[in-house]
Amino acid sequence: MDIDTTTRFREAFATAKHIIIIAGAGLSAASGIPTFRDGGGMWRSLDATTLATPEAFNENPSLVWQFYHYRRQKALQAQTNMAHKILARLAIPNLLKKVAPAAKSLHLITQNVDRLSVGAVSDLDNELAQQGLKGPGYRARKGSILQIHGKLFEVQCTKCDWRAEDFSSPLCPALGEAENDIRDYTDAGSNNRHIPVSQLPRCPECQGLARPGVVWFGEKPYHLDEINSLVFKADMCLVIGTSSTVYPAAGYAYRVQRRHGHVAVFNLDPSEKDEAASSLFRGGCEEVLSQVFP
Ligand code: BV8
Ligand code: ZN
């Protein structure tokens, strides 16, 4: 890794006051969670992004639920990786102060729905408490992780405003049976078992059809107003493991750069935001972040 880039980045980070981190699927790749566009995005020979739409769900809720059942299973089996752990450390004010003594705020804006960043922070909170390190300086501030594309483990009703977190898997017997039909998802495109709507997850309040609690294309992302004010204030923006092709998340780095903030891109492959980068780190974020934040 280029020493000058690292030194320059560390110096900028040490003077940063308001830090935002934009994360994408590459952050969880080392945990075995498939990405969307760099080869990981195929499921049963279907393009994952064509399934993440209300139209796909309305047309074939059985298929989209089987896709999200697969994603839930993957996320349940996944462990947090070193990159999640390092970002969790930065979310703890007294640990952040060691590398960013001027920092007044840090927010992780994640496009990921896998809950791994939330898990890493709660694991670290517990670890610090066990070490007797208590008090607000050793707890991630509430709201420091913003899950802009929703939560894989939330289920919501398509008819009423019911929604709840549910980690059970399968969510209903039919999804488990469908999974048993097809062991290897990658090339089973044609063997999609059709699950009747009546056997898909239902709302316990009104029996309406339930759906995954994520934001699909064309739907309004979460926390937009709060994020807009964070982006406006940010003088440091880390962009980690994202192709930077999905808006509005893909537009945040440019806005920080336009106001002369420092943008640091940590990505395995070239991304749409490389040219906005003041610091560009190529490689697996789980390794690179360990070197930048030893
Ligand atoms: C909205 C669901 C408005 C959850 C997802 C034209 C221009 C501009 C915008 C638009 C446009 N046409 C339409 C739009 C809007 C649209 C959009 O941006 N479309 C794109 C395709 C052009 N956006 C929307 O619809 C959004 N909503 O705008 O609403 C609105 C406002 C008010 C009121 C009503 C409406 C909603 C977007 C959310 C869509 N939902 N998923 C789920 O199932 O997960 S998107 C999907 O893509 C995921 O959420 C994912 O997080 C996201 C972004 O993908 P990445 O995370 O970047 O993943 P990707 O695979 O692409 O890249 C991974 C990268 O990691 C690679 O570069 C790889 O090199 C790297 N990598 C891999 N391993 C590692 C690594 N890097 C480091 N280390 C490693 N180890
Ligand atoms: Zn309902």
Side-chain angles (χ1 to χ4, degrees), residues 25 36-37 68 71 149 215 218-219 242-243 247 267 269 285:
F36 287 81
R37 295 172 187 80
Y68 279 92
R71 300 268 307 282
H149 290 165
V215 175
E219 294 185 326
T242 177
S243 57
Y247 289 81
N267 213 56
D269 305 314
C285 56

Side-chain angles (χ1 to χ4, degrees), residues 156-162 202-210:
Q156 64 191 70
C157 181
T158 57
K159 295 269 176 301
C160 75
D161 59 5
W162 171 83
R202 312 297 300 189
C203 165
E205 306 285 327
C206 74
Q207 302 317 312
L209 175 62

Side-chain angles (χ1 to χ4, degrees), residues 158-174:
T158 57
K159 295 269 176 301
C160 75
D161 59 5
W162 171 83
R163 72 181 306 144
E165 208 163 44
D166 186 336
F167 292 94
S168 52
S169 198
L171 276 170
C172 63

Side-chain angles (χ1 to χ4, degrees), residues 9-19 90 92-106 235-236 293:
F9 167 73
R10 282 186 186 142
E11 284 163 359
F13 198 75
T15 58
K17 293 188 182 56
H18 296 288
I19 302 162
L90 295 179
I92 305 291
N94 285 4
L95 302 185
L96 175 63
K97 270 204 179 38
K98 294 182 180 171
V99 283
K104 292 190 172 49
S105 74
L106 179 138
D235 54 354
M236 170 60 71
F293 294 109

Side-chain angles (χ1 to χ4, degrees), residues 54-118:
E55 296 74 19
F57 184 76
N58 296 335
E59 192 191 313
N60 192 343
S62 160
L63 180 66
V64 174
W65 258 121
Q66 291 180 63
F67 171 53
Y68 279 92
H69 169 70
Y70 163 70
R71 300 268 307 282
R72 289 167 57 99
Q73 292 277 77
K74 277 281 183 191
L76 284 170
Q77 290 151 16
Q79 300 294 322
T80 53
N81 65 55
M82 188 44 80
H84 294 118
K85 291 184 170 80
I86 290 168
L87 298 190
R89 283 211 300 268
L90 295 179
I92 305 291
N94 285 4
L95 302 185
L96 175 63
K97 270 204 179 38
K98 294 182 180 171
V99 283
K104 292 190 172 49
S105 74
L106 179 138
H107 289 82
L108 170 58
I109 299 164
T110 184
Q111 300 173 89
N112 299 337
V113 295
D114 57 33
R115 201 180 172 282
L116 288 174
S117 289
V118 171

